[in-house]
Amino acid sequence: MTSSYPAALPLLIGIIAAAVTAFGLTGYGFSAIGRGGLGAVARGGAALAGALAAVAHVWGLMSLFLDESGTAQACQDADPSRYGHVSGYSVSYLPPALDCRMSSGGSYSAAVPGFLTPVMTGCAVIAVTLALIAVAEHRVPPGEAPGR
């Protein structure tokens, strides 16, 4: 059975970086929203959406970190009926995932909650959209309606 266990050092660095990012974006987001105006609210919303994506990433990395010594156990807990066919594991840090590879060629997820990747993706899309709105609002001269 081949294995690719998650490495503790990259996980710790990722957890710390994502947590610091989430903290910084949250502070910036709330202060930007407090300034008022469409551009400021869009910037603040983009920062808060980015912070939520970072928090989801921390959650996923923490799931991998807490499971580091028990990858086989995580695969068994995730699907006991298919565990007997597991031939290896694969780990991803972005998005966080632990896949239990089966000898038949398929795989199934373990350890990391399945909703985290869609949450991170959705928040990233929202953050980019709001950042683009903030840039567009910043470029409009005062007193002129957007789109002219």
Side-chain angles (χ1 to χ4, degrees):
M1 186 179 295
T2 61
S3 173
S4 175
Y5 290 105
L9 187 59
L11 284 173
L12 284 174
I13 291 170
I15 289 167
I16 292 168
V20 168
T21 300
F23 184 73
L25 287 173
T26 300
Y28 175 78
F30 283 121
S31 68
I33 288 173
R35 291 184 208 121
L38 179 61
V41 171
R43 281 192 307 277
L48 292 175
L52 184 56
V55 166
H57 193 238
V58 167
W59 187 347
L61 291 177
M62 287 295 296
S63 298
L64 286 176
F65 184 76
L66 295 175
D67 180 61
E68 182 187 358
S69 62
T71 303
Q73 185 64 44
C75 288
Q76 186 174 8
D77 291 345
D79 194 340
S81 64
R82 292 195 282 180
Y83 177 68
H85 304 286
V86 172
S87 63
Y89 317 99
S90 61
V91 176
S92 169
Y93 298 108
L94 187 65
L98 170 64
D99 291 326
C100 306
R101 294 190 313 258
M102 299 186 329
S103 54
S104 63
S107 68
Y108 62 94
S109 297
V112 179
F115 63 86
L116 288 180
T117 298
V119 166
M120 287 188 308
T121 304
C123 289
V125 168
I126 291 168
V128 168
T129 302
L130 288 173
L132 291 173
I133 290 170
V135 168
E137 179 65 22
H138 180 72
R139 293 182 178 206
V140 175
E144 187 174 317
R148 284 190 181 181

